[in-house]
Amino acid sequence: MKKIIEVKHLTKKYRKIKAIDNLSFYVFENEILGLLGPNGSGKTTTINAMLSLLSYDKGNICYLGKEITPDSYDIKKEIGVVFQEIAVFDELTVYENIDYFCGLYIEDKKIRKKYVDDAIKLVKLEQFVNYKPKALSGGLKRRLNIACGIAHKPKIIFLDEPTVAVDPQSRNNILEGIKKLRENGATIIYTTHYMEEVEKICDRIIILDKGKIICQGTKEELKQLTGIEEKVTIEINNLDRNHIEKFKKLQNVKNVEYRFENLEITFIKGKNNFTKLIDYLKKEKISYNKIYSEMPTLNDVFLELTGKDLKD
Amino acid sequence: MIVFKTFFKVVKEYKYAILLYTLILFFFAIFNLEVNNNNIGFTAEKPNILIVNNDYESKIIDNLYNYLEQNSNIKNIENDKDKINDALFYRDINYLIIIPKNFTDYILNNKETKIYVKTTKDANSKYMDMLLNRYLKLINIYKNDYDNVDNLISKINSILKEESHIEVSSNIKVNNLLKTTIYYNFANYSLLASCLFVISTVLNSFKQEMINKRIIVSSCNYKKHNKNLFLAALSFSVIIWIIYVFISLILIKEAMFSWYGLLYMFNSFVFMVCALALSFLLGTIINLKEAINGIVNVIALGSSFLCGAFVPSKYLPEFVINISKLLPSYYFINNNEFISQIETFNFNSLTKYFINIFVIIIFIILFIILNNLVSKNKRKTN
Ligand SMILES: Nc1ncnc2c1ncn2[C@@H]1O[C@H](COP(=O)(O)OP(=O)(O)OP(=O)(O)O)[C@@H](O)[C@H]1O
Ligand SMILES: [Mg+2]
């Protein structure tokens, strides 16, 4: 795979606080790279540095081997950015907004008109082209914000938490749109603190915490890091304390917890963990309401590596 | 090009504000025209004057009486200071002439002497100024050519007769110039209010932190972008200026289609550039869009009051005039007043005009420097 962006030893300090600390990673052509991390972990700072919007203290950032500077207009031409905050003109309509931001890249009127129409179609704002942003709901505004950033058909797209404060339907629309952009050949860097989104659309994931990369790889690679193969939840009323200790001694069991009438058992790799568990429940005559098995989530990965929940 | 176009698309959102300021100016001008037209009618009825003669009744003075009598009503009021002042105050007389002792002897023998006048400072009194000055000027020009006073007087009278038709038209001219000055003084308000409000507001939109970030990360050269923004703002203010000049061309044709008109136009053009520079400064300083309207009104109304755009500055107290000298509007308005008093056009008579223009240009440079300092500072803190 072709490396499109190389980030090496990137460090940025605000006064004495290191907002990002010695980050090194690649972005490969045509992938969706997820930057996942809780609030304040340095996602926006990383993106701003990669866009040369921000000066940094150490490290370098290269696009196809060329270092980016504020005057690298040839590199910037290939980049599209959707910022975390909504950035549109209140005085202009949806169409005029997209046209203006696209016009910063594309001078030819005919081409631009087509591009703007394509962007409107992509984010499904056809019915609202003549609306002013004030008349749009939060989710529609987000979609406009995205259209403004990608209308010029860039090869590399940065999306900084584009789904914050958006209803599920709009969110799905946005995620669909992003997948479509990748199908059309774009490389995407996507930041979020929603792990479900990352699991849904990202090929590769970098997890950040406190400005540091705590791990990176594909979903599967990251999940292996936890050593967890499977997580089984059983709804049992009034389970005896003694039983919990017995569950812990079963083969391949890593951890057992009993909370709110739910017994959670995590297994390390092994054969037929789930069937063996059901056999055991039968044998011990423990009655239960529900039982289900899940793969570990990225939250489990984060929990394993930092000792805290991603959601907090 | 897209920047230029978008600038005007955003401007379009503020079309009602622009319309409002223009209409205010337009109706003010029409109203003023009416009032001043009445003044012209009054002149046709001849102004009332009083002559207090402290010299003996010489032929020169007699002749002055006769000359002025053709163009005014000479009133007979007791020579008492209070009564004369009352008469001036109630406009029973428009013009008081006090001829000093030995005036005749002194003027014929090239000694310093001066006729004192007190006036109501309206169009009528300006007209009288003109008549009196012309008479005295002619004496001074011809007195050495004639030994005989009678000959001198008949020479002067023949010239005055020739010029009398010019006087009538020149009286109308004085009236029109006064009107033009009042119009352009008031334009101080409209020009400031519309340029400052619209340009600062639109620039504020472009300079919003997030939109600005979008512009910076784009492949569009940031400096070029800002240059286009400036060109768009310049075009906007030139359009506003043209509209205001156009209104004056229609309403006060006689004065505007002359050298005087050119001076008024150039003066207001330089002032418009000053308003543009100030708009950029405000657009950079003010972060909150909602605050712009208030601040602009304070500046436009405040400077208009202080500098005499609404009330002629001669009615303002001394300390207000001193404060107003710190504002560019003072020099713009001062120049409008000055233009109406110009009699001949040459470099010397226009010196004051160019000094005022020069001061306004200094203000422009000052605003540009301040704007650069503030925006540099802002970029650093980001
Ligand atoms: N301009 C700034 N001045 C000082 N500190 C800053 C500045 N911008 C960010 N920081 C700090 O840098 C750290 C990383 O912030 P950043 O915005 O990159 O986080 P993030 O991952 O994008 O968070 P979020 O999910 O809230 O957007 C935070 O601790 C933040 O307080
Ligand atoms: Mg962020």
Side-chain angles (χ1 to χ4, degrees):
Chain A
M1 269 184 301
K2 194 160 133 200
K3 288 174 198 161
I4 282 206
I5 312 174
E6 283 179 73
V7 176
K8 280 185 199 151
H9 309 297
L10 189 64
T11 301
K12 165 79 189 172
K13 285 185 226 158
Y14 286 114
R15 288 169 211 273
K16 280 192 184 141
I17 304 162
K18 282 185 179 168
I20 44 178
D21 187 2
N22 200 20
L23 300 191
S24 297
F25 60 89
Y26 302 117
V27 182
F28 296 106
E29 188 167 31
N30 202 219
E31 74 172 345
I32 301 183
L33 173 68
L35 284 180
L36 179 68
N39 291 123
S41 54
K43 304 182 293 289
T44 302
T45 309
T46 307
I47 286 196
N48 285 347
M50 290 171 79
L51 293 169
S52 194
L53 256 179
L54 208 61
S55 60
Y56 37 90
D57 300 293
K58 256 187 236 154
N60 56 36
I61 298 160
C62 294
Y63 288 73
L64 293 175
K66 253 175 95 182
E67 183 146 8
I68 186 168
T69 66
D71 300 326
S72 311
Y73 298 115
D74 50 337
I75 298 178
K76 286 181 171 185
K77 204 167 60 193
E78 308 294 344
I79 298 179
V81 190
V82 177
F83 287 106
Q84 191 169 355
E85 287 101 2
I86 290 174
V88 293
F89 285 90
D90 288 334
E91 293 96 339
L92 300 182
T93 63
V94 165
Y95 187 93
E96 289 166 341
N97 262 302
I98 302 173
D99 188 45
Y100 169 70
F101 290 113
C102 185
L104 293 176
Y105 299 82
I106 310 274
E107 286 190 15
D108 186 299
K109 259 190 204 162
K110 254 189 212 154
I111 300 178
R112 192 163 77 230
K113 184 171 183 323
K114 187 182 174 304
Y115 280 18
V116 172
D117 287 338
D118 286 351
I120 288 170
K121 230 175 273 164
L122 182 87
V123 296
K124 302 204 174 84
L125 279 177
E126 292 97 331
Q127 295 170 33
F128 304 97
V129 282
N130 290 321
Y131 280 48
K132 298 259 165 68
K134 277 212 176 91
L136 299 180
S137 70
L140 294 179
K141 240 187 256 179
R142 282 268 157 210
R143 274 143 71 175
L144 169 61
N145 197 41
I146 293 172
C148 289
I150 53 93
H152 58 289
K153 300 197 193 285
K155 290 204 184 108
I156 305 167
I157 301 173
F158 289 86
L159 295 127
D160 195 359
E161 309 212 24
T163 57
V164 167
V166 162
D167 63 277
Q169 200 201 338
S170 267
R171 172 179 300 193
N172 280 336
N173 265 327
I174 291 172
L175 296 180
E176 290 299 312
I178 291 169
K179 274 191 199 158
K180 214 175 277 166
L181 286 171
R182 192 263 292 275
E183 280 163 29
N184 295 342
T187 305
I188 290 165
I189 296 101
Y190 184 90
T191 86
T192 180
H193 59 265
Y194 296 121
M195 53 169 188
E196 307 85 6
E197 290 183 356
V198 170
E199 292 202 35
K200 223 182 216 166
I201 65 167
C202 293
D203 307 308
R204 236 159 35 83
I205 299 154
I206 293 176
I207 301 186
L208 288 175
D209 186 42
K210 292 183 188 150
K212 286 192 175 119
I213 294 180
I214 57 171
C215 58
Q216 55 180 312
T218 62
K219 252 177 296 193
E220 292 70 29
E221 283 166 356
L222 293 185
K223 284 176 184 173
Q224 273 172 13
L225 286 177
T226 60
I228 301 172
E229 169 75 7
E230 189 169 19
K231 195 163 115 187
V232 180
T233 308
I234 318 167
E235 213 180 293
I236 308 172
N237 298 333
N238 303 321
L239 183 69
D240 201 325
R241 285 270 142 208
N242 295 333
H243 279 303
I244 296 176
E245 290 309 313
K246 281 188 195 157
F247 276 116
K248 279 187 181 165
K249 284 178 190 129
L250 291 176
Q251 201 191 2
N252 292 342
V253 167
K254 185 166 186 246
N255 196 16
V256 179
E257 249 178 86
Y258 185 59
R259 286 192 295 198
F260 312 115
E261 317 279 278
N262 273 337
L263 185 71
E264 279 179 23
I265 305 171
T266 45
F267 290 94
I268 56 169
K269 243 187 176 147
K271 273 186 185 164
N272 307 326
N273 286 335
F274 191 65
T275 31
K276 278 181 193 160
L277 180 64
I278 289 180
D279 290 343
Y280 176 75
L281 288 169
K282 256 185 207 155
K283 199 180 94 198
E284 295 287 316
K285 297 203 172 90
I286 299 172
S287 61
Y288 55 88
N289 304 333
K290 254 192 231 159
I291 180 164
Y292 54 90
S293 159
E294 292 170 298
M295 296 285 286
T297 63
L298 288 173
N299 189 42
D300 298 313
V301 179
F302 195 75
L303 187 69
E304 178 79 18
L305 293 174
T306 66
K308 56 183 186 186
D309 250 15
L310 192 54
K311 290 169 209 154
D312 299 337
Chain B
M1 204 54 215
I2 184 78
V3 180
F4 203 86
K5 231 170 75 186
T6 306
F7 182 93
F8 280 96
K9 273 184 198 156
V10 180
V11 165
K12 218 175 68 193
E13 282 302 292
Y14 301 102
K15 51 183 181 281
Y16 294 115
I18 302 169
L19 196 66
L20 180 73
Y21 293 127
T22 311
L23 282 181
I24 290 176
L25 177 66
F26 186 71
F27 284 117
F28 173 85
I30 294 214
F31 174 75
N32 236 289
L33 207 71
E34 272 311 298
V35 172
N36 271 287
N37 275 341
N38 292 340
N39 269 351
I40 292 173
F42 193 57
T43 311
E45 283 173 21
K46 293 186 180 178
N48 298 319
I49 69 168
L50 173 66
I51 304 178
V52 175
N53 185 7
N54 293 324
D55 200 10
Y56 68 101
E57 301 207 345
S58 65
K59 286 182 181 166
I60 297 246
I61 294 177
D62 263 358
N63 193 52
L64 173 64
Y65 268 74
N66 291 338
Y67 170 56
L68 292 182
E69 200 155 36
Q70 290 162 23
N71 299 299
S72 64
N73 304 314
I74 300 184
K75 288 267 173 167
N76 221 336
I77 292 174
E78 201 183 321
N79 189 358
D80 171 284
K81 214 176 167 188
D82 288 340
K83 283 191 179 157
I84 292 173
N85 275 337
D86 277 356
L88 271 171
F89 183 79
Y90 292 112
R91 310 227 162 177
D92 289 337
I93 55 175
N94 305 98
Y95 205 75
L96 167 68
I97 299 173
I98 301 172
I99 301 170
K101 218 174 165 188
N102 300 331
F103 170 76
T104 314
D105 281 351
Y106 282 5
I107 198 164
L108 289 178
N109 293 310
N110 294 328
K111 282 193 201 163
E112 182 105 356
T113 181
K114 203 177 171 196
I115 286 189
Y116 296 95
V117 297
K118 209 165 177 185
T119 82
T120 48
K121 290 182 176 160
D122 51 18
N124 278 336
S125 61
K126 289 232 156 143
Y127 177 52
M128 290 310 299
D129 266 340
M130 209 175 58
L131 295 182
L132 182 62
N133 286 336
R134 175 156 303 135
Y135 187 79
L136 297 176
K137 217 186 243 171
L138 288 175
I139 294 178
N140 275 322
I141 294 172
Y142 291 108
K143 66 189 173 192
N144 294 331
D145 299 352
Y146 296 88
D147 293 336
N148 186 319
V149 176
D150 288 327
N151 290 346
L152 172 62
I153 287 174
S154 60
K155 172 71 187 173
I156 290 174
N157 284 350
S158 71
I159 295 175
L160 286 173
K161 214 173 207 169
E162 266 171 38
E163 288 188 348
S164 66
H165 68 279
I166 303 172
E167 278 158 19
V168 175
S169 69
S170 127
N171 183 33
I172 292 170
K173 196 176 83 184
V174 168
N175 254 294
N176 277 319
L177 289 180
L178 279 179
K179 268 188 275 173
T180 317
T181 292
I182 292 172
Y183 175 85
Y184 276 95
N185 282 354
F186 192 84
N188 176 68
Y189 170 72
S190 299
L191 208 59
L192 277 181
S194 52
C195 279
L196 290 190
F197 174 66
V198 174
I199 297 176
S200 315
T201 310
V202 176
L203 286 182
N204 185 278
S205 290
F206 276 90
K207 301 247 153 107
Q208 280 172 65
E209 194 195 336
M210 289 318 293
I211 289 187
N212 204 34
K213 267 191 191 168
R214 274 224 155 114
I215 297 166
I216 294 174
V217 299
S218 80
S219 63
C220 170
N221 187 317
Y222 190 59
K223 278 199 184 124
K224 208 174 107 196
H225 182 275
N226 282 353
K227 200 181 83 197
N228 284 337
L229 214 50
F230 169 76
L231 286 180
L234 177 68
S235 317
F236 170 76
S237 28
V238 169
I239 290 171
I240 292 288
W241 175 77
I242 288 176
I243 293 174
Y244 291 179
V245 167
F246 185 71
I247 294 176
S248 74
L249 285 177
I250 292 177
L251 295 181
I252 334 162
K253 285 196 226 29
E254 298 85 350
M256 286 309 292
F257 285 103
S258 70
W259 285 106
Y260 289 96
L262 217 59
L263 291 181
Y264 282 112
M265 282 192 232
F266 182 65
N267 189 38
S268 58
F269 184 84
V270 175
F271 185 68
M272 175 276 293
V273 176
C274 184
L276 175 66
L278 183 57
S279 319
F280 267 82
L281 179 60
L282 290 184
T284 313
I285 291 179
I286 308 172
N287 283 328
L288 197 65
K289 203 180 232 170
E290 288 71 23
I292 292 178
N293 200 4
I295 292 174
V296 165
N297 269 318
V298 169
I299 293 176
L301 281 174
S303 70
S304 295
F305 271 116
L306 286 180
C307 303
F310 301 148
V311 184
S313 50
K314 58 184 170 246
Y315 298 127
L316 294 173
E318 188 71 23
F319 79 95
V320 170
I321 295 180
N322 281 334
I323 295 175
S324 67
K325 283 182 183 161
L326 299 172
L327 305 169
S329 294
Y330 173 86
Y331 301 90
F332 168 63
I333 290 171
N334 196 277
N335 242 3
N336 288 335
E337 305 275 355
F338 176 69
I339 295 168
S340 71
Q341 290 158 17
I342 297 175
E343 300 229 330
T344 50
F345 291 94
N346 59 48
F347 192 76
N348 281 334
S349 66
L350 291 179
T351 310
K352 191 177 168 197
Y353 178 83
F354 286 113
I355 288 177
N356 279 332
I357 295 277
F358 181 71
V359 176
I360 300 176
I361 291 175
I362 299 231
F363 273 104
I364 296 174
I365 295 170
L366 195 75
F367 290 146
I368 294 173
I369 292 175
L370 273 177
N371 180 43
N372 283 349
L373 283 181
V374 175
S375 53
K376 234 179 228 157
N377 234 337
K378 265 195 168 172
R379 238 176 293 150
K380 258 188 208 150
T381 50
N382 267 344

